[in-house]
Amino acid sequence: MSGRDPDRRRALLDAADRVIRREGPEASMASIAAEAGITKPILYRHFGDKSGLYQALANRHVHTVIGLLRQQFDRAGADLRGRARSTITAYLDMIEANLSLYRFLFHRAGAEDSQTHSQMTALVRGLGEELGEVISAMPGGPDPVRAQVLGHAFVGMVQATGDWWLEHPEVDRAEVVEGLVGVIVAAMSTAVPG
């Protein structure tokens, strides 16, 4: 089958997902190939190389996550505190439910492969820019530069805190969420005259 066959490609990515979820972020390319019933060279042929596989997995999952976060933050009628709470909760739910995959994509793949690292950085930066635009468009919102600073700061803060929380499961998630929401609301109250 051709490496361009979308059904075959999807089946190979499904196999990679299963192995990463089962074996954790240190899952090997050999294990992924074995799960798919092929050899490593055939696996690489479908994606070009290991970097291509990493990037395909990143595209598959990160865009889904970003779409869900956008949906949560763009909820009509919710106040800032409610939107921030639902967005942060959705993010922590996703990384907790997909811990091995999250660590594989954001830590292992990004550390091993500069193209994947650049792609992940660009996606996170894009989310910060988009959030900055949302903040700037709020009634009485801050100027566009300040809004961009806040958008990037909020995205980075939530991502870094999520990483920390995964390493400290004894910390109640509700406390983490409310702490982050408090910082966002406080920052916005000084940025938006009111």
Side-chain angles (χ1 to χ4, degrees), residues 57-107:
L57 284 167
N59 281 332
R60 178 182 233 200
H61 295 289
V62 175
H63 288 296
T64 301
V65 169
I66 289 174
L68 179 62
L69 295 179
R70 284 180 181 140
Q71 177 185 358
Q72 291 296 319
F73 196 79
D74 290 340
R75 289 185 340 167
D79 66 351
L80 174 64
R81 184 176 293 277
R83 289 191 304 175
R85 184 180 293 114
S86 66
T87 304
I88 294 165
T89 299
Y91 176 73
L92 294 180
D93 284 348
M94 284 184 292
I95 65 173
E96 183 179 35
N98 301 289
L99 182 57
S100 292
L101 191 58
Y102 173 79
R103 287 184 172 149
F104 180 87
L105 291 172
F106 276 91
H107 300 288

Side-chain angles (χ1 to χ4, degrees), residues 102-120:
Y102 173 79
R103 287 184 172 149
F104 180 87
L105 291 172
F106 276 91
H107 300 288
R108 178 176 171 206
E112 284 185 16
D113 182 70
S114 63
Q115 287 179 323
T116 303
H117 176 75
S118 295
Q119 181 182 12
M120 302 296 272

Side-chain angles (χ1 to χ4, degrees), residues 114-194:
S114 63
Q115 287 179 323
T116 303
H117 176 75
S118 295
Q119 181 182 12
M120 302 296 272
T121 300
L123 289 167
V124 171
R125 184 175 297 131
L127 188 58
E129 289 171 7
E130 186 174 333
L131 182 55
E133 290 169 10
V134 169
I135 292 168
S136 181
M138 292 173 68
D143 68 81
V145 172
R146 177 82 186 264
Q148 282 297 315
V149 169
L150 291 171
H152 286 85
F154 295 159
V155 168
M157 174 183 69
V158 171
Q159 183 182 9
T161 303
D163 276 353
W164 171 83
W165 174 69
L166 290 173
E167 299 299 323
H168 294 84
E170 72 280 3
V171 177
D172 181 51
R173 183 173 55 170
E175 187 176 350
V176 174
V177 170
E178 290 310 312
L180 289 168
V181 168
V183 171
I184 290 170
V185 170
M188 288 299 295
S189 69
T190 63
V192 180

Side-chain angles (χ1 to χ4, degrees), residues 8-28:
R8 182 65 172 149
R9 186 177 173 90
R10 189 170 23 261
L12 295 173
L13 291 173
D14 289 346
D17 283 346
R18 287 191 302 273
V19 171
I20 293 166
R21 290 176 202 278
R22 184 175 62 236
E23 296 182 12
E26 297 306 316
S28 70

